[in-house]
Amino acid sequence: MSAPSSRRRRPAGPPPSPRGRYWRRLLPLLAALALLTRLPSFRHPLWNPDEGYLAVQARLLASGGTLYATVVDRKPPLLPWLYEAAFALCGDTSLTPLRLAAATAQLLTALALASTARRRWGDSAGRTAGVLYLLASVGLNPEDAQAATFEVFMLPFTAAAVRCADRGGWLRAGLAVAGAGLTKQTGGAVLAPVLWLLWQHPGPRRTPLLRTVVGVAAPIAAAAWLTGPARFLFWTVTGSSAYASFAGSELHVLARGLVNTALLGAGCAGLLPPIARVLRIARTGAVDLWLWLAASAGAVLLGFHFFGHYYLQLIPPLVLLATGALQILPAYRLTSALLTSACACALFVLWGLLAPRPELAHAVRIAAEVESRTGAGDRVLIWGIHPETYWLAHRTPASRFLTAGLLTNYSGGRDGPRVGEKYGVDGAWRDFRAELADRPPALVVDDSRGKPFAPARLPTLRRFLARGYDRSGVVDGTVFYVRAQ
């Protein structure tokens, strides 16, 4: 017995229903499920610092800032531009439009997976893949699964890339790969299954390969041209060497990896048994799906940070592998997979609805204090890893570096020795000193709270505060400094 191959439809069962009727029935179901599973995302104004970073970036871009110059991050430009567009259309005081966009992104991912599964194994498999994906998509810490951040918006592109390649749409597949990579660099891992499908495609390969290359290269070249090729290359590729190492924080990082792996296992509890069962009893020919999973696993490992939201990239290939496995297993296995996935999903949704958010509460308190101590036109420096405080306080950052991470390499939650001025992004302290000298902030907020990036451990910042600022109070462990008169 063998599992359905990556190019084979399930032979048994009723004939496929007409295309229009099929999708008219499935789309409302998946749309309702996408909104239901993401209900917790609407509970809080923010879920994690990535959302805060994007919100502050979008405000600065809307007020005339330049990406990778006056506003910087290690990420590609697509999501900052999306946030900027949403703020331009709907205002910049709420992330609700982005929450709806994230739910739409999850729906699009489910539809692309359903389309691929339907083509390979029939109508029932399409429905199964769409439902299983949405149930599993929230199976992580709500900070990671419910936030409107990079992986959520990357996944529709990855699923679309495999779908287009499966149909021989090479230009579209290349464009989808580029979209994934321009949302987050690791989205480019989906190029591996696309190239495998291209290699397996009958007939000459030169034209399909050329179309794929053009599809990948053209959007990336356009983004580089719009943001400046040298700056684009530095901030998305070459400027992250220190970030991509976990030296000095091995146990801390590996513990995080084990916890998030366990959470993903719980969230995918309905998917893993069918896959394991088929591996035990049959040969599987779904090489492209296994390659997609392996490439995605490599993307999760890249940089050795193991944040929970990295693991979202593994779910689409796992869903298709499980869907394929269920086609050769007894019917009760499908029922079991759906019930298990639904129960796991319910637990994670309940976690998102009920769990307290102490770091958000802290950021809200600090933002209120910043707002009360400064005027609307004042520039503020918040020295910490919670850029959302700028957004909540409606204050302009005094620096292009919105967190201490880019200046100290604390990004990634390091707790070891590779944190400090010499580990920051190349040239960052030069630019930081120039910004502070040119327009000193009216208020400096030390939100390090005992972390390794505290000003006492950073000579440049320590001297800057000693020369021109007076300590004015402490709120919730955060120290406030005002400019000396």
Side-chain angles (χ1 to χ4, degrees), residues 59-70:
R59 271 187 182 166
L60 293 173
L61 291 173
S63 62
T66 303
L67 192 60
Y68 305 136
T70 59

Side-chain angles (χ1 to χ4, degrees), residues 128-149:
T128 298
V131 170
L132 284 178
Y133 173 74
L134 291 171
L135 293 175
S137 66
V138 294
L140 287 163
N141 188 315
E143 285 186 26
D144 300 302
Q146 297 290 342
T149 51

Side-chain angles (χ1 to χ4, degrees), residues 283-463:
R283 175 184 60 83
T284 176
V287 177
D288 61 319
L289 301 183
W290 286 107
L291 188 57
W292 187 9
L293 180 62
S296 299
V300 172
L301 291 171
L302 189 65
F304 304 104
H305 294 288
F306 305 114
F307 287 122
H309 49 87
Y310 291 9
Y311 289 73
L312 291 171
Q313 193 166 352
L314 299 172
I315 297 177
L318 284 173
V319 164
L320 287 181
L321 285 167
T323 301
L326 288 167
Q327 306 314 300
I328 65 168
L329 293 173
Y332 76 87
R333 294 278 184 180
L334 173 59
T335 303
S336 175
L338 289 171
L339 286 175
T340 302
S341 296
C343 291
C345 176
L347 290 175
F348 280 101
V349 169
L350 193 63
W351 182 7
L353 288 172
L354 300 180
R357 309 290 311 135
E359 285 300 310
L360 174 62
H362 170 81
V364 169
R365 286 193 291 270
I366 299 307
E369 194 69 23
V370 169
E371 197 169 10
S372 70
R373 290 170 178 259
T374 56
D378 289 338
R379 290 161 60 90
V380 176
L381 174 65
I382 298 172
W383 187 252
I385 56 172
H386 290 283
E388 62 267 30
T389 308
Y390 290 116
W391 183 70
L392 293 167
H394 306 279
R395 293 297 180 263
T396 301
S399 170
R400 73 193 73 186
F401 305 105
L402 303 184
T403 71
L406 294 174
L407 289 155
T408 66
N409 197 40
Y410 187 75
S411 306
R414 286 175 174 79
D415 63 349
R418 293 179 63 87
V419 174
E421 290 188 28
K422 68 178 180 178
Y423 300 111
V425 173
D426 289 344
W429 280 93
R430 178 197 61 225
D431 295 335
F432 185 58
R433 285 190 293 266
E435 289 172 323
L436 296 184
D438 181 49
R439 295 185 63 181
L443 181 71
V444 176
V445 181
D446 173 17
D447 195 32
S448 59
R449 290 178 285 161
K451 301 291 195 309
F453 59 87
R457 299 181 57 176
L458 306 170
T460 298
L461 188 57
R462 186 174 65 243
R463 287 193 297 266

Side-chain angles (χ1 to χ4, degrees), residues 25-41:
R25 291 178 175 178
L26 184 58
L27 178 59
L29 169 65
L30 296 184
L33 190 55
L35 283 173
L36 184 63
T37 55
R38 296 196 67 81
L39 276 179
S41 71

Side-chain angles (χ1 to χ4, degrees), residues 1-6 8-11 121 277-286 290 324-329:
M1 181 182 293
S2 66
S5 76
S6 63
R8 190 187 310 157
R9 296 182 182 86
R10 189 180 185 182
W121 305 303
R277 178 67 177 167
V278 165
L279 285 176
R280 286 198 300 269
I281 67 173
R283 175 184 60 83
T284 176
W290 286 107
L326 288 167
Q327 306 314 300
I328 65 168
L329 293 173

